């Protein structure tokens, strides 16, 4: 695992090199309407604010680039950029291009960086996708959610099943070779047959990546109220487990690897950006309400777009909360985030990163779950066993500091 940086005589481990990078996340908080289950920091009815927001984001990128410079004054390296939301595809190609140019000026963005844009299938045109590809976006992540028209309405989504297929065809014609589709299970009224049909139709599109999430009913959403009023009933735990297993089996047969609990990819198409989070590596989130983990601290931005714009007009980084991550916390988080992935935790890398063997950090806290067969060791890797994947929380809780 130890490699040496080219062009330098100073030996450097791979993990040290990665710890000196920062993944970039840009939050675009606009949506046409609010989906009934959504609790993201996103707003309907503020589309006229797009240009002032983009200008504020350009300022934040510049300031964040300054803040993140290396000790020798050179810009921080970035391997990935992710436009998330919200619905980033509601920005024009020209606005996305300006944001990308700003990232490239403020950070040392790799030539072959993975640059993802989240898109809503109902908002995409062929021309726009061609423009996005030319601007440098090389990965699309689409919130498809279901191939059932009735379930899409239940969720409050604005697109139709036909628009999912059309959007993928447009994206292929525009030259996209890396596409993720998000789907949800455990939805009110969703049967196993709905789920089978959705996956079958999605597989016909041959996306390179799938993210499959079970519905979480978040407080403050219309869904939460409707569940309380017993107007809707989400899928129960058993049905969700069956849907998950069905998907896993079928996607594996189709050549996808389940590289993280909720994510499947064809070889070579794992999301580099999301792996940054699971490897607990630094990232800088920009935009209203965005979160960062950088320089040993976790911090978050002002959530409200108007207030966010105001602070950037005054050229102030809009950070509202910040906490220093203790060494103990960093070791725990690095361990359980890695255990979410199929590869697991690489124990020699853990030791290089924290100058402490994992066994010393964990003591006998994992003894019971090891004896219960929830963990397995292989060539320096520690990972959840098949049984452990169903009972992951039992392991994760034992890693947290007291
Ligand atoms: S499109 Fe996505 S971000 Fe926007 S409201 Fe729906 S779920 Fe939330």
């Amino acid at each position: 695992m130890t490699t040496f940086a080219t062009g330098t005589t100073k030996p450097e481990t791979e993990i040290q090199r990665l710890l000196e990078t920062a993944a970039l996340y840009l939050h675009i908080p606009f949506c046409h309407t609010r989906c009934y289950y959504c609790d993201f920091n996103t707003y309907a009815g503020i589309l006229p604010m797009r240009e002032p927001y983009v200008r504020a984001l350009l300022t934040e990128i510049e300031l964040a680039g300054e803040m993140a410079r290396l000790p020798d004054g050179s810009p921080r390296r970035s391997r990935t950029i992710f436009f998330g939301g919200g619905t980033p595809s509601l920005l024009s190609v020209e606005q996305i291009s300006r944001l990308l140019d700003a990232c490239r000026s403020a950070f040392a963005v790799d030539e072959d960086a993975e640059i993802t844009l989240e898109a809503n299938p109902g908002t995409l045109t062929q021309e726009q996708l061609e423009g996005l590809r030319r601007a440098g976006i090389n990965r699309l992540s689409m919130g498809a959610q279901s191939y059932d028209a009735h379930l899409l309405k239940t969720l409050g989504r604005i697109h139709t099943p036909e628009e999912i297929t059309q959007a993928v065809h447009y994206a292929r014609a525009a030259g996209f070779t890396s596409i993720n589709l998000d789907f949800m299970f455990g939805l009110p009224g969703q049967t196993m047959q709905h789920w089978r049909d959705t996956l079958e139709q999605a597989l016909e599109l041959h996306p390179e990546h799938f993210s499959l999430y079970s519905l979480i009913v978040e407080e403050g959403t219309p869904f939460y109220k409707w569940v309380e009023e017993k107007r809707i009933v989400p899928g129960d735990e058993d049905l969700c487990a069956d849907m998950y297993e069905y998907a896993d089996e079928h996607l594996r047969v189709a050549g996808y690897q389940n590289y993280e609990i909720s994510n499947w990819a064809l070889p070579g198409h794992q999301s580099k950006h999301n792996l940054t989070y699971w490897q607990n590596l630094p990232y800088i989130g920009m935009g209203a309400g965005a979160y960062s983990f950088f320089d040993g601290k976790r911090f978050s931005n002002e959530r409200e777009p108007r207030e966010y714009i105001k602070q950037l007009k005054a050229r102030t980084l809009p950070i509202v909360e910040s906490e220093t991550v203790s060494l103990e916390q960093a070791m725990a988080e690095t361990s359980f985030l890695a255990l979410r992935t199929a590869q697991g935790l690489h124990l020699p890398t853990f030791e290089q990163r924290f100058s402490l063997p994992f066994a010393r950090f964990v003591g006998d806290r994992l003894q019971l779950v090891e004896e219960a067969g929830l963990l397995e060791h292989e060539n320096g890797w520690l990972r959840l066993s098949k049984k452990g994947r169903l009972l992951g929380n039992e392991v994760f809780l034992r890693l947290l500091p007291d």
Side-chain angles (χ1 to χ4, degrees):
M1 199 70 184
T2 306
T3 58
F4 297 93
T6 51
T8 168
T9 50
K10 194 173 151 222
E12 189 177 71
T13 61
E14 174 73 7
I15 187 64
Q16 283 164 349
R17 285 201 301 127
L18 291 174
L19 285 165
E20 290 206 345
T21 65
L24 306 180
Y25 172 83
L26 305 181
H27 188 71
I28 311 297
F30 307 101
C31 286
H32 271 305
T33 54
R34 295 271 297 154
C35 302
Y36 304 138
Y37 59 95
C38 180
D39 79 330
F40 299 144
N41 186 38
T42 176
Y43 304 82
I46 59 163
L47 288 182
M49 218 190 273
R50 280 179 288 189
E51 182 52 29
Y53 184 84
V54 167
R55 280 198 228 122
L57 197 44
L58 290 170
T59 307
E60 190 185 3
I61 294 167
E62 185 198 326
L63 296 176
E66 288 300 322
M67 177 271 295
R69 278 184 185 271
L70 293 166
D72 68 0
S74 57
R76 177 82 40 178
R77 179 182 163 211
S78 182
R79 303 181 306 141
T80 65
I81 302 176
F82 194 101
F83 288 84
T87 311
S89 49
L90 286 175
L91 294 189
S92 69
V93 169
E94 189 261 342
Q95 286 169 326
I96 299 278
S97 293
R98 280 155 62 207
L99 291 168
L100 278 176
D101 287 348
C103 289
R104 291 193 186 102
S105 307
F107 294 86
V109 178
D110 283 1
E111 282 283 310
D112 63 347
E114 176 190 275
I115 306 181
T116 305
L117 181 115
E118 281 187 336
N120 189 331
T123 64
L124 294 167
T125 66
Q126 173 79 56
E127 199 193 347
Q128 182 190 14
L129 285 164
E130 282 167 6
L132 289 171
R133 187 69 199 88
R134 273 198 305 275
I137 303 292
N138 53 27
R139 184 170 182 271
L140 272 187
S141 179
M142 291 194 213
Q145 315 311 1
S146 175
Y147 249 104
D148 183 89
H150 180 73
L151 287 174
L152 287 173
K153 283 217 173 80
T154 304
L155 291 170
R157 302 290 308 198
I158 55 164
H159 65 273
T160 62
E162 294 72 32
E163 282 171 330
I164 302 172
T165 308
Q166 195 181 45
V168 173
H169 289 162
Y170 284 164
R172 293 297 188 208
F176 281 95
T177 54
S178 192
I179 297 178
N180 167 58
L181 296 180
D182 283 354
F183 288 101
M184 295 172 77
F185 57 97
L187 304 177
Q190 187 184 33
T191 62
M192 196 65 188
Q193 190 57 45
H194 285 131
W195 185 234
R196 279 197 279 262
D197 291 347
T198 280
L199 290 177
E200 196 179 308
Q201 295 191 63
L203 278 167
E204 280 174 19
L205 299 171
H206 305 292
E208 284 70 26
H209 192 286
F210 279 95
S211 295
L212 308 180
Y213 300 104
S214 69
L215 172 69
I216 308 235
V217 179
E218 303 282 1
E219 226 175 312
T221 61
F223 261 25
Y224 189 84
K225 188 164 168 268
W226 298 341
V227 169
E228 287 217 313
E229 292 168 358
K230 304 202 179 352
R231 283 168 61 191
I232 55 169
V233 182
D236 65 28
E237 233 174 73
D238 287 346
L239 180 62
C240 286
D242 288 349
M243 288 177 166
Y244 182 90
E245 274 188 24
Y246 178 88
D248 189 36
E249 263 173 52
H250 280 72
L251 295 185
R252 276 174 206 264
V253 169
Y256 294 83
Q257 295 163 343
N258 178 214
Y259 71 101
E260 191 272 344
I261 292 178
S262 305
N263 290 279
W264 288 257
L266 292 178
H269 287 279
Q270 298 183 351
S271 161
K272 268 198 221 166
H273 186 85
N274 288 341
L275 278 168
T276 301
Y277 301 139
W278 302 318
Q279 291 167 349
N280 207 20
L281 293 171
Y283 56 88
I284 298 178
M286 290 164 280
Y291 287 85
S292 302
F293 171 48
F294 185 74
D295 200 18
K297 293 190 191 73
R298 287 195 187 283
F299 46 96
S300 61
N301 276 357
E302 165 61 46
R303 286 173 66 84
E304 210 283 308
R306 272 185 196 82
E307 185 54 34
Y308 167 82
I309 293 170
K310 210 164 114 191
Q311 294 197 22
L312 265 313
K313 268 197 186 142
R315 295 188 63 81
T316 317
L317 276 175
I319 297 169
V320 286
E321 271 174 37
S322 175
E323 65 156 340
T324 301
V325 179
S326 69
L327 183 62
E328 185 80 4
Q329 220 178 328
M331 289 192 284
E333 287 170 6
T334 300
S335 311
F336 72 70
L337 287 167
L339 288 174
R340 284 185 60 94
T341 65
Q343 249 188 340
L345 176 68
H346 190 243
L347 303 178
T349 303
F350 180 96
E351 186 168 343
Q352 281 168 358
R353 179 169 179 172
F354 297 109
S355 306
L356 186 77
F358 179 74
R360 286 259 308 277
F361 158 64
V362 83
D364 59 5
R365 284 182 285 161
L366 292 183
Q367 199 181 332
L368 271 179
V369 287
E370 294 227 32
E371 284 167 11
L374 305 193
L375 288 167
E376 55 193 31
H377 287 264
E378 191 189 14
N379 299 329
W381 292 87
L382 176 72
R383 63 177 69 99
L384 294 178
S385 64
K386 198 167 180 216
K387 188 172 164 196
R389 287 174 65 196
L390 295 173
L391 298 166
N393 281 343
E394 291 295 320
V395 179
F396 304 153
L397 284 174
R398 287 172 163 77
L399 291 166
L400 290 172
D402 293 333

